[in-house]
Amino acid sequence: KPHVFAQLHYLRKLCNHPALAVGNEAEGHPLRAEAAAAAAAAGVPLRSATLSPKLLALQQILHECGIGVDGGGGGEGGDDDDDGAAPLAAHRALVFCQSREMLDLVEVELLRARMPSVASLRLDGGVAPAKRADVVAKFNGDPSIDVLLLTTAVGGLGLTLTAADVVVFVDHDWNPMRDLQAMDRAHRIGQTRVVNVYRLVARGTLEEEIMSLQAFKRDVAHAVVGADGVAAAGVQAIS
């Protein structure tokens, strides 16, 4: 029987996209065949963005931010360039996923297939550490790049991404500090705009429990260590 952690991991994948839940199965596996048949009956490929409410919600958020919308959002440099290039979007976004597989779906099935006008970069474990600073510098220095796709783990390595003022978490970590560290990439010295953070949570699923556990852990941390970093009254530090 599969371990309970494997089952939880499976349910988390299912919240993101059904293709992730059966993606590692052999081609002849009954579960994959059943999923492929259901997708075919709906008239869409198994990896289609239309099978993931999260990808559709992410597309809606980006559109509301003026990203991927014809005519741009009228932000910095919102006027048409002299060469007829498309105007810059009003906002720029960081999109965080827990896994590279989900980033693949966001990049290929959403941005390339449904939002081809969106310029994006990607920063995950597949990018060599020596090249990550170049990706960050390019995103911060080029306002024509609308979206930076990241894994949460990479987002917690002290990166400064103040060019973005929108942060979207497609899925979430059990440890709230990892999400907060990733969120802080846009809250650095030099940020001059209000940063809006969006979390995509599948209602009635395991993800609601993850968010509840995150809140519980934050409350415990605040009770033990105050907001100023000093141990709360009645709590003795262990040396």
Side-chain angles (χ1 to χ4, degrees), residues 10 24 32 45 49 51 58 62 74 82 94 106 109 132 167 170 173 176-178 186 192 206 209 211 213 223 228 239:
Y10 175 86
N24 293 328
R32 183 174 181 83
L51 297 180
L58 176 58
L62 295 179
D82 293 338
L94 306 178
V106 173
E109 302 299 335
R132 293 177 184 177
V167 177
V170 176
D173 196 277
M177 297 307 149
R178 292 189 65 181
T192 60
L206 176 70
E209 300 297 329
M211 300 308 299
L213 184 59
D228 55 358
S239 59

Side-chain angles (χ1 to χ4, degrees), residues 5 10 15 33 45 47 73 82 91-92 94 98 127 174 184 189 192-193 196 198 207-208 217 225 228:
F5 288 160
Y10 175 86
C15 291
R47 294 175 61 86
D82 293 338
H91 302 277
R92 302 174 68 194
L94 306 178
Q98 294 294 318
V127 179
W174 293 97
D184 285 344
I189 294 176
T192 60
R193 295 175 293 175
N196 294 301
Y198 300 88
E207 288 193 325
E208 288 189 337
K217 289 182 176 180
V225 180
D228 55 358

Side-chain angles (χ1 to χ4, degrees), residues 131-201:
K131 297 181 179 180
R132 293 177 184 177
D134 295 335
V135 175
V136 172
K138 184 175 182 180
F139 177 75
N140 285 330
D142 188 350
S144 67
I145 299 174
D146 304 302
V147 177
L148 179 60
L149 306 175
L150 309 95
T151 53
T152 306
V154 170
L157 295 178
L159 305 178
T160 299
L161 298 165
T162 52
D165 62 336
V166 174
V167 177
V168 183
F169 286 93
V170 176
D171 48 4
H172 320 278
D173 196 277
W174 293 97
N175 182 356
M177 297 307 149
R178 292 189 65 181
D179 281 0
L180 291 175
Q181 289 172 358
M183 189 187 308
D184 285 344
R185 304 292 75 82
H187 290 89
R188 293 294 192 191
I189 294 176
Q191 179 59 268
T192 60
R193 295 175 293 175
V194 174
V195 177
N196 294 301
V197 179
Y198 300 88
R199 291 181 178 273
L200 302 182
V201 181

Side-chain angles (χ1 to χ4, degrees), residues 80-86:
D80 289 339
D81 296 332
D82 293 338
D83 59 0

